[in-house]
């Protein structure tokens, strides 16, 4: 079912008209209410009247995470606090969190885009949706929660973690949909196996997985082990949270709710717009948000856009599965490496588990990439020779696909820490 047929299947011209009107309003709004936007625009001699159509968006300055931090906590809100009904924040690894505020209308819009996303994923009113994203300042839990209620399906607000309880409720309540990170989905599958529960005996049929990058091979693995259709959902707290985009049942790119979030792809070095189909950094402008509208936000996520009509009937532009973040990209002796590429190689091999950790060290002036990877129980052998052969196979596969050498350390199953939230795949010990 398409939740909002008129919008989700509208023709390009109509969509651009909506985007133009909304962008003009948003620019006016931030110019008159947020000092930092006004200052940035004045610096380049731009006034709101210069933005006459969506195509003028390139004239506007970019916004970075640092802008939000510099204006911590509420400096970029465009309404008085009396209009803000909810706050969320993303923790980040360093410094202050990034805080976002929602008005009542913002929350309604967010529910709408999550409901659209659930419909894209093939979820309907009769489904029981177990929301295993964290509830709290993180947007995952509450975002999926209200979208599910708005659809009229049943929500199980269990939040993240407590795997045994998750499994008990999957079983007892007959949850047909699970929403969690893809790495946690794999963990769930692992525990099910340990408990001797056949995933096929549960009612589970759809998984709404996001909040971290995951490869196509990981999708196959999850679908196979958990017996669900694995749908990719994308979002970030600065823009709204989950529901910025989501895959439909075709699983061929995530439809962006572009009547609310206008996407661009730019070259991360030159910041110039790139033509359709080119991979670059995704940039978003919110065009309906009231609490904290964001102009040209640099997500650091790398992907490409596809404007062709989807087989599902939607015309909303699609973004490809994220390759990774530009700031997660490792440059190892000059070669660009994404953790997702290593993940893909590992998942193509039957001997390894999809649990791994990359540790980068600098010895002298030389970077070394160490890969710790779990070996499947049945391949974990006491025979050193067997293990040496396996290490060589992994090293060779990575060398031939990525063109870099890695030091592989094989570890027993369940050595690498499991998390119910975003998985940590990289430790960079280089002091550069
Ligand atoms: O992760 C919101 C979310 C919750 C999305 C639940 C999907 C499901 P943040 O914590 O602000 O928000 O992190 C945003 O996570 O810029 C991406 O780098 C990454 N990310 C989110 N979804 C995906 C995805 C939530 N489907 C950051 N694929 C983003 C790859 C993703 N990366």
């Amino acid at each position: 079912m398409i939740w909002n047929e008129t919008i989700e299947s509208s023709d390009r011209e109509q969509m651009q008209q909506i985007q133009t009107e909304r962008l003009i309003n948003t620019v006016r709004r931030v110019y008159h209410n947020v000092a930092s936007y006004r200052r940035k625009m004045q610096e380049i001699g731009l006034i709101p009247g210069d933005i006459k159509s969506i195509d003028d968006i390139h004239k506007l300055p970019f916004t970075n995470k640092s802008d939000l931090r510099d204006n911590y906590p509420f400096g970029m809100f465009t309404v008085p606090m009396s209009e803000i009904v909810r706050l969320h924040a993303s923790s980040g690894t360093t410094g202050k969190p990034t805080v976002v505020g929602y008005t009542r209308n913002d929350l309604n819009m967010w529910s709408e885009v999550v409901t659209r996303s659930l419909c894209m994923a093939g979820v309907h009113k009769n489904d029981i949706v177990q929301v295993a994203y964290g509830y709290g300042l993180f947007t995952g839990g509450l975002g999926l929660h209200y979208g599910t209620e708005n659809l009229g399906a049943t929500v199980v607000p269990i939040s993240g973690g407590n795997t045994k309880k998750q499994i008990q409720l999957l079983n007892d309540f007959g949850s047909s949909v699970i929403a969690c990170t893809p790495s946690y989905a794999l963990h769930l599958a692992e525990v099910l196996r340990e408990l001797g529960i056949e995933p096929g005996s549960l009612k589970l049929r759809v998984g709404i997985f996001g909040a971290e990058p995951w490869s196509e091979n990981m999708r196959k693995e999850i679908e196979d082990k958990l017996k669900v259709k694995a749908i990719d959902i994308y979002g970030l707290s600065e823009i709204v949270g989950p529901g910025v985009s989501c895959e439909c049942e075709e699983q061929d790119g995530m439809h962006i709710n572009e009547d609310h979030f206008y996407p661009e792809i730019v070259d991360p070095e030159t910041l110039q717009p790139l033509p359709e189909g080119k991979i670059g950094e995704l940039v978003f402008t919110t065009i309906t948000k009231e609490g904290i509208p964001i102009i040209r936000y640099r997500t650091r996520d790398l992907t490409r856009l596809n404007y062709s009509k989807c087989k599902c009937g939607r015309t909303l532009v699609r973004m490809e599965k994220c390759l990774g973040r530009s700031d997660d990209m490792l440059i190892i002796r000059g070669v660009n490496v994404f953790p997702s590429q290593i993940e893909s190689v590992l998942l193509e091999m039957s001997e390894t588990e999809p649990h791994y950790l990359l540790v980068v060290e600098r010895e002298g002036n030389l970077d070394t990439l160490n890969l710790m990877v779990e070996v499947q129980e049945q391949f974990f052998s006491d025979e050193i020779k067997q293990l040496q052969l396996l290490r060589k196979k992994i090293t060779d596969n990575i060398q031939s696909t990525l063109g870099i050498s890695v030091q592989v350390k094989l570890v027993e199953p369940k050595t690498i820490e499991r998390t119910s939230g975003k998985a940590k795949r990289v430790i960079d010990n280089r002091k550069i």
Side-chain angles (χ1 to χ4, degrees):
M1 181 185 65
I2 300 184
W3 181 256
N4 189 336
E5 179 108 40
T6 327
I7 287 289
E8 294 178 69
S9 311
S10 81
D11 62 43
R12 190 59 26 215
E13 219 169 281
Q14 238 173 336
M15 181 58 78
Q16 280 168 342
Q17 209 176 327
I18 294 174
Q19 290 168 332
T20 289
E21 275 166 30
R22 294 181 170 179
L23 177 69
I24 290 173
N25 283 335
T26 300
V27 171
R28 250 191 244 131
R29 188 183 187 94
V30 297
Y31 186 87
H32 294 296
N33 293 288
V34 183
S36 69
Y37 278 123
R38 192 163 49 245
R39 199 176 331 111
K40 275 194 185 183
M41 285 174 65
Q42 281 168 346
E43 270 165 24
I44 52 171
L46 199 68
I47 55 163
D50 294 333
I51 305 300
K52 297 190 178 72
S53 106
I54 194 71
D55 297 327
D56 292 328
I57 199 161
H58 310 299
K59 297 179 181 163
L60 291 160
F62 288 96
T63 306
N64 283 294
K65 206 176 187 82
S66 56
D67 292 304
L68 289 157
R69 292 224 169 101
D70 295 346
N71 291 286
Y72 176 84
F74 308 143
M76 289 180 84
F77 290 9
T78 62
V79 295
M81 281 311 279
S82 55
E83 300 289 311
I84 297 287
V85 295
R86 170 107 61 86
L87 295 173
H88 277 285
S90 80
S91 52
T93 40
T94 49
K96 292 171 189 155
T98 318
V99 183
V100 284
Y102 303 71
T103 64
R104 174 84 47 212
N105 286 338
D106 291 338
L107 288 184
N108 290 342
M109 176 274 280
W110 188 14
S111 292
E112 150 98 15
V113 294
V114 173
T115 306
R116 285 187 202 172
S117 304
L118 290 165
C119 289
M120 288 173 195
V123 178
H124 42 72
K125 255 181 87 73
N126 297 331
D127 277 304
I128 300 182
V129 183
Q130 190 156 319
V131 178
Y133 286 113
Y135 278 62
L137 288 175
F138 177 56
T139 52
L142 288 170
L144 264 299
H145 182 102
Y146 287 105
T148 304
E149 284 191 356
N150 190 41
L151 170 64
T154 310
V155 66
V156 182
I158 183 169
S159 190
N162 205 346
T163 308
K164 295 258 159 73
K165 184 87 178 190
Q166 300 276 357
I167 290 173
Q168 187 195 348
L169 298 195
L170 283 175
N171 195 48
D172 298 352
F173 292 180
S175 310
S176 47
V177 180
I178 180 119
C180 61
T181 57
S183 51
Y184 188 66
L186 273 181
H187 179 55
L188 262 180
E190 202 171 52
V191 179
L192 279 172
R193 198 179 49 197
E194 276 167 22
L195 295 174
I197 301 172
E198 262 301 311
S201 70
L202 300 172
K203 297 243 170 65
L204 214 47
R205 55 176 197 89
V206 180
I208 313 282
F209 304 129
E212 63 187 14
W214 52 307
S215 59
E216 273 306 325
N217 282 335
M218 179 116 154
R219 187 205 305 268
K220 279 192 224 120
E221 184 98 3
I222 297 176
E223 293 197 328
D224 182 47
K225 287 189 168 161
L226 210 53
K227 302 284 178 272
V228 290
K229 184 153 193 158
I231 297 288
D232 199 353
I233 186 166
Y234 170 90
L236 57 165
S237 47
E238 294 84 343
I239 301 305
V240 82
V244 171
S245 66
C246 188
E247 279 179 341
C248 63
E249 290 175 278
E250 299 296 326
Q251 296 173 307
D252 188 18
M254 295 180 270
H255 289 284
I256 299 174
N257 286 302
E258 54 173 315
D259 53 322
H260 297 290
F261 321 114
Y262 183 80
E264 297 171 77
I265 298 288
V266 302
D267 180 319
E269 300 289 323
T270 64
L271 299 184
Q272 290 307 305
L274 290 173
E276 182 184 344
K278 284 264 179 283
I279 292 183
E281 182 178 326
L282 183 60
V283 168
F284 275 113
T285 300
T286 67
I287 50 178
T288 52
K289 247 178 27 170
E290 297 177 343
I292 174 166
I294 299 267
I295 303 288
R296 302 193 85 198
Y297 185 71
R298 292 191 57 189
T299 64
R300 312 281 156 171
D301 294 319
L302 299 171
T303 184
R304 67 175 125 204
L305 298 179
N306 172 1
Y307 283 88
S308 68
K309 183 173 177 178
C310 181
K311 286 199 199 108
C312 72
R314 291 178 182 82
T315 48
L316 292 176
V317 59
R318 281 171 284 168
M319 58 184 263
E320 198 171 272
K321 238 175 174 333
C322 291
L323 183 63
R325 293 175 58 83
S326 57
D327 44 9
D328 271 356
M329 186 179 78
L330 293 164
I331 305 181
I332 307 291
R333 292 180 296 250
V335 181
N336 298 350
V337 181
F338 286 100
S340 59
Q341 294 173 295
I342 306 243
E343 176 182 295
S344 237
V345 173
L346 294 177
L347 283 165
E348 268 172 16
M349 301 180 55
S350 55
E351 301 93 334
T352 50
E353 292 281 356
H355 301 284
Y356 64 96
L357 185 66
L358 290 165
V359 185
V360 196
E361 308 278 358
R362 175 160 283 188
E363 288 161 20
N365 281 322
L366 207 64
D367 298 334
T368 53
L369 182 59
N370 302 288
L371 166 68
M372 201 195 251
V373 59
E374 290 182 10
V375 178
Q376 292 216 355
E377 195 84 62
Q378 69 266 38
F379 293 102
F380 205 85
S381 140
D382 287 335
E383 242 186 87
I384 291 181
K385 198 162 163 230
Q386 289 290 336
L387 289 175
Q388 273 175 344
L389 280 174
L390 179 55
R391 266 187 51 196
K392 181 162 180 348
K393 188 170 162 192
I394 299 173
T395 316
D396 289 351
N397 283 357
I398 291 177
Q399 173 79 48
S400 66
T401 358
L402 297 170
I404 50 155
S405 58
V406 288
Q407 318 257 13
V408 176
K409 183 171 180 211
L410 302 176
V411 294
E412 281 184 70
K414 310 243 301 276
T415 312
I416 294 165
E417 199 192 340
R418 307 290 191 260
T419 136
S420 62
K422 298 179 193 245
K424 183 155 179 58
R425 307 281 200 204
V426 181
I427 298 177
D428 197 337
N429 287 329
R430 291 176 293 186
K431 307 265 180 296
I432 303 175

